[in-house]
Amino acid sequence: MSTLHVVSAAEYLPRDTADVVRTVRDSRDRSKPLTVHGGAPSGDGLAVPDQRAVVSLRRMNAILDINLGRGTVRVQAGARLSDVDRRLGAHGLGLPIVGDHREITAGGFASVGGVSTASHRYGLFIDQILDLEYVDTDGRIGTCGRDHHTDRFYRILGAGGRAGIITALTLDTIEIDKDNTWLSTEADRFLDFDSFVEHAYTEVAKPRDAVLQVGRWVDTASLKVSRPVGAGQVHLGTVRFGQWSSLYPTAPTRSLRARREVGSRARKSLGAIASATSGRAAGMPVRNAAAGAVLFTPKVLTLRDAEYLADTVISSSERGPAFRVSVFAPLSNYTSVFYRLHDLFAGHRERTGCFTVISAMTYGIRSEYLRLESAARGLPDGDHGLITFTCRLRPMSLPSEQLRDIITAIDEICRSENSIRYESAV
């Protein structure tokens, strides 16, 4: 029998499902609500309220079974998808959807839906789940899947842990060698927002045979950097640019491999420099350059490199507080949603100066789960585009009243445009 490890009065580290059951029942006895983390606690500086108990599943990280006949893998909820994918690679298999950061866990991704730059082909991470084991809010173990207790299955998925704690999942795999599948990038760059949105819509609607696709737009405010005393300030100006990247299979050559190696080293160096200068005004151009290394996708790279491209630089260059929102927009309303969200954030920045850099990321979503979710909400059926805006915050410049106004406006955009808000966070 396992022994439940309690780090502190407010943190539990279960090793198996029985530990989770004891944790849930203990929290009920003490009337202490639970917050679930798939991996290690977030390093974003946001404190967990004292009255909440944290359940971290990072020790429930085992790969329980790889079924080569069915082409499936069963894992504990705390297993990192990057680790699972590596293990599958030894068998000529891989996960269709893994997210863009190596720390993402199976249970964490399932609880929020799970999107990636391959979602125009494979849908959400939820679409890859065959069945799951969970512990409900009363501390009882249950199972459900695509073919049994289907209503419960879809109620737990994407619920962020509110409908129960996912403890194990069975996932679909595909036959793929990600380390030796080479991709070539077809990139289109834009200096005006209208052209970028128009092109993005075309690619989302008709992705052709792209393995991965992603569009990114960056809009910086006029930055000011102080010079020595008496020298005033220098204005770095406003930068607006975008890129749409579609990645297609290509045959590797010696020169392509060399170009991939050079590009990989350059991106890692920019990320390290950006991390070292984070928080200082002088580091802002470097951090923008690091973001540019992600924006301007390398010409050639492997599928595994491409899946984790953002993790190479963004994790070390994008520091500090931000407001982030993601919206699933039906293709019929895609451009309208994009414009309205952009105008909302740009307007607040112009009027109050609350935001500095406003960036957007977008790609297509073809998901059976999302179709079911749309039908349940009475929304039109069809494919979607994911639109994510990230607005970097000036310190102490977004009062709670203004935040409420922004969230209310986002909800109105979603309601009137038949869209679904995916997530938002400060």
Side-chain angles (χ1 to χ4, degrees), residues 60-247:
M60 293 181 59
N61 57 7
I63 298 173
L64 302 173
D65 177 63
I66 297 176
N67 190 316
L68 299 180
R70 296 177 61 199
T72 62
V73 59
R74 186 163 181 81
V75 301
Q76 286 185 306
R80 298 193 311 175
L81 293 180
S82 57
D83 294 337
V84 176
D85 212 31
R86 285 284 186 186
R87 282 278 300 276
L88 289 172
H91 302 280
L93 301 173
L95 297 173
I97 302 293
V98 294
D100 59 4
H101 285 267
R102 291 176 174 84
E103 300 302 317
I104 292 174
T105 63
F109 218 31
S111 67
V112 298
V115 296
S116 86
T117 52
S119 288
H120 67 289
R121 302 179 73 193
Y122 298 110
L124 305 179
F125 180 68
I126 282 178
D127 292 305
Q128 318 309 319
I129 301 174
L130 285 170
D131 56 60
L132 59 85
E133 176 190 78
Y134 67 94
V135 175
D136 68 15
T137 54
D138 292 320
R140 297 172 300 194
I141 301 174
T143 62
C144 53
R146 292 180 193 167
D147 301 322
H148 67 288
H149 302 304
T150 306
D151 290 343
R152 187 184 309 159
F153 179 64
Y154 287 112
R155 186 169 64 251
I156 292 173
L157 292 174
R162 293 182 298 274
I165 299 175
I166 298 172
T167 54
L169 310 91
T170 303
L171 309 172
D172 279 327
T173 69
I174 55 174
E175 294 184 8
I176 190 75
D177 182 354
K178 293 187 177 183
D179 291 309
N180 292 291
T181 297
W182 285 77
L183 304 178
S184 177
T185 303
E186 181 180 295
D188 296 278
R189 296 179 178 121
F190 307 89
L191 295 178
D192 70 280
F193 187 66
D194 291 349
S195 299
F196 171 77
V197 174
E198 180 181 355
H199 185 85
Y201 170 77
T202 300
E203 295 291 340
V204 167
K206 296 181 179 179
R208 295 170 287 171
D209 58 345
V211 176
L212 305 175
Q213 64 167 207
V214 62
R216 294 187 176 93
W217 175 262
V218 175
D219 181 349
T220 72
S222 182
L223 302 174
K224 300 177 182 179
V225 177
S226 296
R227 288 176 169 175
V229 177
Q233 291 182 322
V234 58
H235 291 258
L236 299 181
T238 300
V239 178
R240 295 186 179 92
F241 58 94
Q243 175 173 301
W244 182 273
S245 299
S246 295
L247 285 74

